[in-house]
Amino acid sequence: MWGTHRSRYRSCSGAREEPEIVVNIGGLKQVFCRDVLNRFPDTRLAELGNSVSPLPTEDISSLCDDYDPEKGEFYFDRDPDAFKCISELYYYGEIHVKRGICPICFMKEMDFWKIDSDFLDECCKSHLKEVEDELEEIAEKVRTILVDRDGDPSVSGWQRFQTCVWRLMEKPESSLAAHIIAILSFVFILVSSVVMCVSTIPDLQVEDEEGNLMENPTLECIETVCIGWFTIEYVLRLLSSPNKVKFALAFMNVVDFMAIMPFFVVLLLTSLGAGVMELANVQQAVQALRIMRIARIFKLARHSSGLQTLTSALKSSLKELGLLLMYMGVGVFLFSALGYTVEQHHPETLFTSIPQSFWWAVITMTTVGYGDVYPKTTLGRCNAAISFLCGVIAIALPIHPIINNFVLFYNKQQVLETAAKHEIELMALRSDQDGGGKHVCGVLLKSPRKANRDPDLHASLEKTSENKHCTVL
């Protein structure tokens, strides 16, 4: 049985008792002094305390769920745990959401008690912002899944065909044909990468008329087939893209372009004649373009969620990576200068200059130690020992935050995918039960902030967000 909690603030005069009101929130009774409630006059409890007693029936129905005139209690069918947090506003002037309370449900409680979100503590505001961002991401994922599955019936024939090609090339989960194309693309990437490596083996190369080694014609044919597939794939994705400028500037699409461009440049230079190919600068350019073929290995990231998560984690860890480079830079400069200073007078010294000592400092601090450069004096060896100890510490310090970012991004990705599938299942279930699937789809495709302006839309979104955040998150 809940006890009756009395307000912590009493009248300082002691001459008389301040008027009190008793509220019952889901079985939790609490007593407030009216002067405490009047500190925030725009809230529901302050309006309740300032009402004229006895209250008219219409005022009771507008301010509370029920009223017992004998006990003088106002009844509210609300969450008592959330109210414990909300009541702290009248005591401390701010609200802190306790652990275990759904942020979305808590915001609904604050709306009911007519309390602005500005009274939330800063940590709670940031948590709420993260939850809202996750809701928007889930809504975007659901919208994408629905568009991929059902399409947009309002578009024209060409746009419908363009959308179909885009789903075929970009959305492996949209259909069986798209899944097969994704597998073929993955196989071509692997075959092309293997051929590029195998073609450098001297035993598999052939000699031309002048005795120079050239790539095996069979391997060149396989390479040409792979490039043809990559070219067709890139052109189809570009033509079917909804935003071609954004598509062309995307990082992975730049990688795709760099993977196929060297083949056509070399083909163009070869078609210009042997005289052009004999130029030294042209030969160096051709070699550089051939080396650029290694960029196609990054195409695997398009088909690997793990690589995509790793990329996102590295992007969010730029500060930690910057710290790592700064630590290493300072250490390399310091220990290379010390190493050169203590070793320069040795007759067989390997430290000829400070810039040349940078290489020794790098391989020592990273504990690689090739052995091509090493100190020969006692002080130089002490400097080397200190340098690799500092290198281990400098590398280990930023690694832990980077690993944490990767784990957070990976878990978040899994949660978002699970929540999106959960939303689709709820939509299908509601559609089967009452034929309201289209309405729910409209709810999910809108932002939570926009949905708050529509009462019916807000009610549907509340049910959806409650199910997701209280069960999945």
Side-chain angles (χ1 to χ4, degrees):
M1 187 69 181
W2 290 102
T4 302
H5 296 266
R6 303 185 69 84
S7 173
R8 310 176 191 187
Y9 298 93
R10 308 300 298 167
S11 175
C12 296
S13 61
R16 60 184 180 87
E17 283 287 320
E18 287 291 333
E20 297 177 341
I21 64 171
V22 181
V23 294
N24 189 317
I25 314 297
L28 172 66
K29 293 183 181 180
Q30 190 159 355
V31 181
F32 290 95
C33 292
R34 291 187 182 180
D35 61 338
V36 175
L37 300 178
N38 287 334
R39 295 173 182 174
F40 302 95
D42 296 331
T43 61
R44 181 180 292 269
L45 287 179
E47 294 177 359
L48 193 64
N50 294 328
S51 300
V52 180
S53 182
L55 292 174
T57 304
E58 58 272 12
D59 291 343
I60 293 179
S61 60
S62 62
L63 293 176
C64 63
D65 296 321
D66 197 3
Y67 174 67
D68 187 349
E70 296 181 358
K71 297 181 179 180
E73 290 185 15
F74 298 91
Y75 292 92
F76 295 89
D77 187 15
R78 311 300 300 185
D79 184 6
D81 293 330
F83 183 77
K84 290 178 182 179
C85 303
I86 290 176
S87 62
E88 297 297 320
L89 171 68
Y90 302 99
Y91 301 147
Y92 304 116
E94 64 179 7
I95 300 176
H96 185 81
V97 184
K98 300 297 188 296
R99 187 182 298 274
I101 298 179
C102 173
I104 301 301
C105 298
F106 189 80
M107 289 304 300
K108 294 187 297 180
E109 292 293 321
M110 290 185 63
D111 292 339
F112 174 81
W113 297 108
K114 299 181 181 181
I115 298 176
D116 195 85
S117 60
D118 293 337
F119 292 110
L120 279 173
D121 193 16
E122 291 299 326
C123 64
C124 299
K125 288 182 181 179
S126 61
H127 184 205
L128 179 64
K129 181 64 168 58
E130 292 177 0
V131 172
E132 290 180 344
D133 292 341
E134 289 178 2
L135 274 176
E136 293 179 357
E137 290 181 18
I138 292 173
E140 180 63 23
K141 282 183 175 292
V142 172
R143 187 192 67 82
T144 303
I145 293 174
L146 292 177
V147 172
D148 292 342
R149 186 181 65 181
D150 303 330
D152 190 354
S154 62
V155 299
S156 62
W158 164 250
Q159 291 177 335
R160 190 178 297 109
F161 174 76
Q162 184 180 7
T163 303
C164 181
V165 174
W166 175 256
R167 294 202 303 266
L168 196 65
M169 305 304 297
E170 279 288 321
K171 309 292 183 180
E173 69 280 357
S174 61
S175 64
L176 178 61
H179 188 67
I180 294 175
I181 289 178
I183 295 177
L184 286 177
S185 179
F186 185 81
V187 171
F188 273 109
I189 293 172
L190 291 181
V191 171
S192 176
S193 301
V194 171
V195 167
M196 182 188 67
C197 297
V198 172
S199 63
T200 60
I201 300 177
D203 295 340
L204 298 179
Q205 295 178 340
V206 296
E207 295 183 355
D208 58 6
E209 298 176 354
E210 300 178 356
N212 298 323
L213 292 177
M214 298 180 58
E215 291 187 6
N216 192 297
T218 304
L219 297 180
E220 284 189 348
C221 292
I222 299 176
E223 176 76 6
T224 302
V225 173
C226 294
I227 291 295
W229 170 267
F230 296 149
T231 304
I232 294 174
E233 181 187 35
Y234 182 83
V235 171
L236 288 177
R237 291 171 55 239
L238 176 62
L239 294 178
S240 61
S241 152
N243 189 334
K244 294 178 174 53
V245 175
K246 183 179 179 180
F247 174 88
L249 297 179
F251 174 74
M252 291 306 304
N253 297 328
V254 173
V255 170
D256 293 344
F257 180 77
M258 297 298 293
I260 62 178
M261 183 266 294
F263 176 84
F264 293 100
V265 174
V266 173
L267 187 64
L268 176 63
L269 293 176
T270 305
S271 64
L272 293 179
V276 176
M277 293 298 295
E278 290 177 356
L279 297 177
N281 293 335
V282 175
Q283 292 179 357
Q284 293 177 359
V286 169
Q287 292 298 325
L289 291 173
R290 289 183 181 275
I291 293 175
M292 289 175 58
R293 294 183 300 175
I294 62 176
R296 69 189 60 173
I297 196 64
F298 292 105
K299 290 169 64 68
L300 292 175
R302 186 183 305 280
H303 307 283
S304 173
S305 60
L307 290 176
Q308 295 173 5
T309 304
L310 178 61
T311 303
S312 301
L314 291 177
K315 287 181 180 179
S316 66
S317 305
L318 291 179
K319 182 178 179 180
E320 289 78 9
L321 293 174
L323 288 175
L324 175 61
L325 293 178
M326 185 187 70
Y327 294 156
M328 291 297 298
V330 172
V332 166
F333 182 82
L334 175 63
F335 293 112
S336 61
L338 291 176
Y340 170 75
T341 302
V342 300
E343 291 285 325
Q344 61 178 334
H345 298 298
H346 194 278
E348 298 179 0
T349 182
L350 299 175
F351 295 78
T352 58
S353 65
I354 291 180
Q356 184 270 342
S357 303
F358 286 168
W359 169 248
W360 168 83
V362 170
I363 62 176
T364 302
M365 293 189 67
T366 55
T367 68
V368 176
Y370 289 113
D372 53 344
V373 182
Y374 57 91
K376 298 183 177 182
T377 64
T378 303
L379 289 178
R381 292 167 182 169
C382 293
N383 177 61
I386 298 175
S387 67
F388 69 70
L389 289 176
C390 293
V392 170
I393 297 175
I395 294 175
L397 286 177
I399 290 299
H400 188 67
I402 296 175
I403 295 176
N404 284 342
N405 288 337
F406 175 80
V407 173
L408 289 175
F409 269 92
Y410 183 79
N411 291 337
K412 180 180 178 182
Q413 187 69 20
Q414 297 298 316
V415 167
L416 291 179
E417 292 178 0
T418 303
K421 293 178 181 179
H422 181 62
E423 299 290 3
I424 298 296
E425 293 173 357
L426 285 177
M427 291 162 50
L429 180 62
R430 293 176 184 174
S431 177
D432 294 338
Q433 288 179 349
D434 54 11
K438 293 183 179 180
H439 175 68
V440 178
C441 294
V443 173
L444 290 173
L445 298 185
K446 294 189 178 182
S447 170
R449 296 187 181 92
K450 295 180 180 179
N452 288 334
R453 302 190 186 103
D454 188 343
D456 297 334
L457 198 61
H458 179 65
S460 300
L461 185 59
E462 283 176 354
K463 295 179 181 178
T464 304
S465 62
E466 285 178 12
N467 291 329
K468 177 181 72 63
H469 279 280
C470 295
T471 58
V472 179
L473 295 181

